Amino acid sequence: MELLEQRIKKDGRVFPGNILKVDNFLNHRIDVNLLEKMGEEFYRLFKDCGVNKILTIEASGIAIACMTALKFNVPFVFAKKNQTKNISADVYTSKVTSYTHGRVYDVMVSKEYLNPGDRVLIIDDFLANGKALEGLIDIVIQAGADVVGAGIAIEKCFQPGGKELREKGIRIESLAMIKSLDNNTVVFC
Amino acid sequence: MELLEQRIKKDGRVFPGNILKVDNFLNHRIDVNLLEKMGEEFYRLFKDCGVNKILTIEASGIAIACMTALKFNVPFVFAKKNQTKNISADVYTSKVTSYTHGRVYDVMVSKEYLNPGDRVLIIDDFLANGKALEGLIDIVIQAGADVVGAGIAIEKCFQPGGKELREKGIRIESLAMIKSLDNNTVVFC
């Protein structure tokens, strides 16, 4: 998606350790007009797949999922990372290793909100090692629902998540695919 | 807002300790059509205030802020609750006591994304003791920006946050105002 690639070139910042910061428009300060275009693009890509539910994970996935759900006219569910007083104990859970936070956490979705027969599009901001996405797929499978595919804003193609999950038959559509972040420079595929 | 009150009556669930669960449509499974109407209502209420930025807090505020920002055609910023590798050290912070999570945490916004002269509308899902909202107001003040007001989805009027903050001169507009949750029944003001 040309618009997103241009924005990454303009406002993305590369830090040591292959970290791409897109805080300026995607996951701290949010450009809702850009997200609306991203939602339209995910709709164009998956509109014939019978999607009736969108699943994402807090916190950075929520805004993208929100704009995508609006285009599909379906509800979205966001998986939670920590058990709170206000979430039912009756949840699907999966363990995820976070590269960003350097820890393992439980991802949770209330059993009420994913059902057999649901056709689920998973949305997230980044795909790198694929651990968050694997956790979400695991939860959809536990619910007896179908994973239609995954819509990702930015894929780091030099990390293995995308390749591994595509080899397992998951359809993944990434709006910006990054080949390299070497020398503080973003190179797209 | 009649539509939100009706939805709370239909799908809200009351638990001991004055807990109102609205997981079904507001903060786990999200009804984007309802949120779009809420965003329109916040726009109607604050459209003449020169709002150029919306501020919320992860995670439950993000979707509401997203739909509101879309109506205002401005960016939104979400405050983060935990320091991660990917957030700049150069942040405004404020300490918040969370009733829901039973702990104290730091709320953070990168200094880049709030500036003197910004006219900020704060958006959140619940207002009860007002601690999260106080923390966000503190951050806006630290930035030298102006708080135009706060748009809240659900205010628990039997808890003191709303009254205390209004007495300090903060304009608060809550779309559903709850007088009581006694006997597992929602009574609106």
Side-chain angles (χ1 to χ4, degrees), chain B:
Chain B
M1 187 188 181
E2 185 64 25
L3 190 68
L4 180 58
E5 290 190 359
Q6 284 173 1
R7 190 59 177 272
I8 292 168
K9 279 183 195 161
K10 179 171 168 280
D11 288 327
R13 283 174 294 177
V14 184
F15 289 85
N18 285 322
I19 292 173
L20 173 64
K21 275 188 69 167
V22 288
D23 273 10
N24 182 279
F25 58 95
L26 196 62
N27 48 28
H28 188 18
R29 176 188 182 275
I30 314 291
D31 178 339
V32 287
N33 294 313
L34 175 65
L35 262 62
E36 189 174 30
K37 300 288 185 200
M38 289 165 59
E40 284 168 8
E41 182 64 5
F42 286 132
Y43 180 71
R44 188 185 69 79
L45 290 162
F46 290 101
K47 69 178 184 300
D48 300 321
C49 301
V51 173
N52 75 323
K53 198 166 284 179
I54 284 168
L55 176 66
T56 189
I57 184 167
E58 64 177 359
S60 299
I62 294 176
I64 308 171
C66 190
M67 297 309 299
T68 306
L70 193 68
K71 298 300 164 187
F72 277 87
N73 196 28
V74 301
F76 79 92
V77 175
F78 68 89
K80 304 198 177 192
K81 285 180 181 169
N82 289 301
Q83 188 139 19
T84 73
K85 283 185 199 167
N86 282 358
I87 193 166
S88 162
D90 200 16
V91 294
Y92 299 112
T93 65
S94 189
K95 287 209 181 298
V96 169
T97 303
S98 168
Y99 176 77
T100 312
H101 296 80
R103 64 184 179 90
V104 177
Y105 56 88
D106 287 301
V107 174
M108 282 169 289
V109 174
S110 287
K111 289 185 179 175
E112 300 176 75
Y113 303 134
L114 278 178
N115 309 109
D118 276 344
R119 294 187 58 77
V120 181
L121 172 62
I122 299 174
I123 294 285
D124 208 359
D125 58 340
F126 274 96
L127 171 58
N129 289 303
K131 298 306 174 194
L133 185 49
E134 275 178 24
L136 294 174
I137 291 167
D138 179 34
I139 281 173
V140 175
I141 291 169
Q142 286 178 47
D146 294 319
V147 177
V148 160
I152 304 294
I154 302 172
E155 179 175 345
K156 292 174 173 173
C157 301
F158 55 87
Q159 289 181 272
K163 183 169 183 289
E164 286 171 7
L165 287 163
R166 286 184 182 96
E167 283 173 0
K168 287 180 184 168
I170 304 294
R171 178 180 172 194
I172 299 174
E173 300 283 355
S174 300
L175 302 186
M177 302 186 75
I178 293 174
K179 187 176 176 179
S180 155
L181 293 171
D182 295 342
N183 306 314
N184 290 342
T185 305
V186 181
V187 178
F188 294 103
C189 295

